[in-house]
Structure formats: structure tokens, C-alpha cells
Amino acid sequence: QAQLAESGGGLVQAGGSLRLSCAVSGLTFTGYHMAWFRQAPGKEREFVAAIRGSGVSTYYSDSVNGRFTISRDYAKNTLYLQMNNLKPEDTAVYYCAGVLVFGTKWPVAAPTDYNYWGQGTQVTVSS
């Protein structure tokens, strides 16, 4: 069945950068909108960024717009999140998610709209 596996998290100082990866298997990558969400302790899961199945459109939350970039490599079936100028408030577990393109509105930014989820990778930004 479908599997999503995040990697690339870690500890970084404020102002630094990280690139998260999400390896996708068990589904047709081009047929799914993909997204990144994050969840800090005691807080609700929040939307970070999404990329359309075709890759031609992206959508970002206001809190990360201009600092983060979402992309996808179809040859590698991998989703990426490049995070620059990290801030302590970016500290959270980051999850990748996917939803079938067909019959799905764009943009898609609600956690309940996504069907497939990874296990998450921890990002900690120190001050």
C-alpha cells in the first residue's frame, strides 16, 4: 500500500537551513497533490505548503511564505521542503501528505482533506 517516509529533520540554529524529503511509494506520484504540515507540542496540526499534482502551482501559509519552498522530483518520487532562515517558532514535527488529484479542489490546505500521511520528522530550531 501507499507509504510516505519523511527524512532530513534535525537540530539547527536560528537563521539556518534544512531540506526535508518525503519518499513516496505505492501510488502514482503525478496523480496526487502533495503537502507539508507541521505540529508543535500542544498545538493543532497546521498547514505549511502544498504543490499541485502537475507541479505547476504551489501554495504557502503566511508564516513560511518567502522562507520555505516546496518542490517535487517526479523521477525520484520524492517531495521536498527547503527551509531557509529558520526561526525557533518553526520547531515542530513535520509531516508530508498526499491526496488524489481527481475530484479534489485546489488549493488543498486542510489536514482532513489528505488521505496519505508519513510518520513525521522532527525539526528543532534553537535560538
Side-chain angles (χ1 to χ4, degrees), residues 1 8 18 25 28 35 37 50 52 55 67-68 85 93 103 109 118 122-123:
Q1 58 182 19
L18 284 173
S25 62
T28 303
F37 291 81
R52 203 165 185 166
R67 299 188 298 120
F68 292 8
N85 192 24
V93 176
Q122 177 70 48
V123 172

Side-chain angles (χ1 to χ4, degrees), residues 29 32-36 47 49-60 69-74 78-80 97 99 101 106-108 114:
F29 194 43
Y32 289 79
H33 299 315
M34 300 296 297
W36 289 96
F47 172 77
I51 185 166
R52 203 165 185 166
S54 65
V56 300
S57 299
T58 57
Y59 183 62
Y60 298 92
T69 302
I70 188 171
S71 63
R72 60 199 299 169
D73 187 328
Y74 294 97
T78 301
L79 177 75
Y80 299 99
V99 62
V101 167
W106 176 262
V108 187
Y114 287 83

Side-chain angles (χ1 to χ4, degrees), residues 12-15 38 40 67 85-92 94 122-127:
V12 64
Q13 290 185 321
R38 66 187 182 187
R67 299 188 298 120
N85 192 24
L86 284 160
K87 304 175 181 179
E89 50 263 45
D90 295 319
T91 296
Y94 283 71
Q122 177 70 48
V123 172
T124 302
V125 184
S126 64
S127 59

